[in-house]
Amino acid sequence: MDDPFVIAGQSLSSRLILGTGGAPSLDVLDAALVASGADMCTVAMRRLEPSTRGSVLDVLDRRGVRVLPNTAGCHTAREAVLTAQLAREALNTSWVKLEVIADDDTLLPDGTELVEAALELVADGFTVLPYTNDDPILARRLEQAGCVAVMPLGSPIGTGLGIRNPHNIEMIVTGSSVPVILDAGIGTASDAALAMELGCDGVLLASAVTRSQDPALMAEAMAAAVVAGRAARRAGRIPQRWHARASSPGEGLVQT
Amino acid sequence: MELTVNGEVRQITDAATVADLLTSAGAPDRGSAVAVDGVVVPRSEWQTWRLRPGQRVELVHAVQGG
């Protein structure tokens, strides 16, 4: 592959990372996962419900995809660190999608708690991929804290509002020496393509696929969008200009 | 003895281990983890880690999410 996607020394075959939340059933999730071509998926950690039949891990293991546990729902660094430690023990991985949210209404990351949790987890040997705001300075702080990637939101989780501040995402890309993964807010395929065109290294999404009317078909669309957006970025788009510029020759025109 | 497991008070056998508790709770081996009083119990110590009265236990597992 001439354009490898590498995080913390690990090569991933797809730049699309699939969140498993929101799928109405494990069968639907399985079909979407296959259609997405993703080889890394997130899971959450929750209190045990013995009545639950079947596990998301059965699906992920069967498809041979890497499991990325998250700390979704944590409001403090302390909660996030404990959840990450539990996930490491449960899933035998030191990789964690670090999520520390400020409140349940916005689900926006709490920058102060996020950096504190990142520092603690890095010191504890974790490979930390933080879900963060579209704030270039906070992204820089997280990279300085030792995170292996930064994952800015396009817009709040589950909103499908797309990328509200493309300029900030570009600034994060420009200022970052670790992979940038657009995480949250994707609504449809053009949002994912835009993320890649802006220079992101990957896209992480869940609801846009799992809550669409046809998750497998939307997963296929997202996979194609990420590939197309990446190719467009690498190809180098034409500059935008105010005045028209003909592509046909100006000379040799027919005279009447 | 009395313990708090996932926020609920439960009676369990005296001298039970973390492994005993996981078994009685029907926890799947893959994807489960345990914290006692806010400290994660390593998988390698589940068989020997004895629970004590009044402890707070969190039993978690992996679910679909974000």
Side-chain angles (χ1 to χ4, degrees):
Chain A
M1 195 159 57
D2 64 343
D3 181 32
F5 179 35
V6 179
I7 305 174
Q10 298 290 312
S11 193
L12 299 178
S13 64
S14 172
R15 291 174 180 272
L16 177 59
I17 300 168
L18 190 64
T20 59
S25 73
L26 292 177
D27 286 343
V28 170
L29 176 66
D30 188 39
L33 172 57
V34 171
S36 74
D39 63 353
M40 186 158 75
C41 287
T42 63
V43 297
M45 301 304 297
R46 289 293 179 271
R47 283 174 165 176
L48 184 70
E49 288 288 340
S51 57
T52 312
R53 288 281 162 266
S55 162
V56 63
L57 295 177
D58 298 339
V59 175
L60 304 187
D61 290 348
R62 187 164 69 239
R63 297 299 174 191
V65 304
R66 178 188 286 269
V67 178
L68 177 63
N70 69 27
T71 63
C74 292
H75 289 73
T76 63
R78 198 171 160 213
E79 287 170 8
V81 168
L82 179 59
T83 302
Q85 290 169 339
L86 283 163
R88 177 167 64 182
E89 207 56 39
L91 298 163
N92 196 29
T93 175
S94 62
W95 285 42
V96 65
K97 171 183 165 179
L98 176 62
E99 214 176 308
V100 191
I101 54 166
D103 61 66
D104 291 329
D105 180 40
T106 65
L107 298 179
L108 288 171
D110 181 322
T112 311
E113 296 288 322
L114 185 62
V115 172
E116 189 183 324
L119 287 165
E120 270 191 60
L121 289 171
V122 168
D124 194 14
F126 280 87
T127 299
V128 182
L129 295 85
Y131 163 64
T132 181
N133 286 297
D134 55 357
D135 173 353
I137 310 309
L138 182 54
R140 187 191 302 162
R141 292 282 189 184
L142 290 164
E143 186 180 335
Q144 287 167 349
C147 295
V148 298
V150 289
M151 307 206 295
L153 54 81
S155 51
I157 293 171
T159 60
L161 287 170
I163 299 173
R164 307 308 293 184
N165 196 335
H167 179 58
N168 272 26
I169 297 298
E170 271 187 314
M171 276 203 285
I172 291 171
V173 167
T174 304
S176 179
S177 55
V178 294
V180 177
I181 298 165
L182 199 290
D183 181 4
I186 299 286
T188 188
S190 53
D191 299 329
L194 176 60
M196 301 307 291
E197 289 170 12
L198 292 171
C200 292
D201 297 279
V203 170
L204 197 167
L205 54 85
S207 308
V209 161
T210 59
R211 296 198 163 115
S212 69
Q213 292 186 19
D214 186 340
L217 187 56
M218 187 59 90
E220 192 182 320
M222 291 299 182
V226 166
V227 169
R230 177 67 182 173
R233 170 73 181 191
R234 294 176 69 210
R237 59 154 300 150
I238 61 166
Q240 291 173 310
R241 40 185 288 143
W242 287 110
H243 296 283
R245 181 183 174 197
S247 60
S248 305
E251 305 81 38
L253 288 165
V254 172
Q255 302 289 321
T256 57
Chain B
M1 64 178 168
E2 203 170 85
L3 288 180
T4 305
V5 181
N6 287 350
E8 287 181 13
V9 176
R10 293 224 343 232
Q11 291 291 333
I12 66 156
T13 324
D14 284 354
T17 63
V18 164
D20 296 334
L21 184 65
L22 281 160
T23 305
S24 71
D29 187 59
R30 168 125 166 90
S32 296
V34 185
V36 177
D37 289 338
V39 177
V40 177
V41 180
R43 192 171 276 267
S44 58
E45 295 175 28
W46 286 358
Q47 298 287 343
T48 51
W49 189 295
R50 295 208 180 280
L51 295 162
R52 294 197 305 274
Q55 287 186 315
R56 283 180 306 106
V57 181
E58 291 289 322
L59 272 186
V60 301
H61 70 148
V63 299
Q64 280 176 247

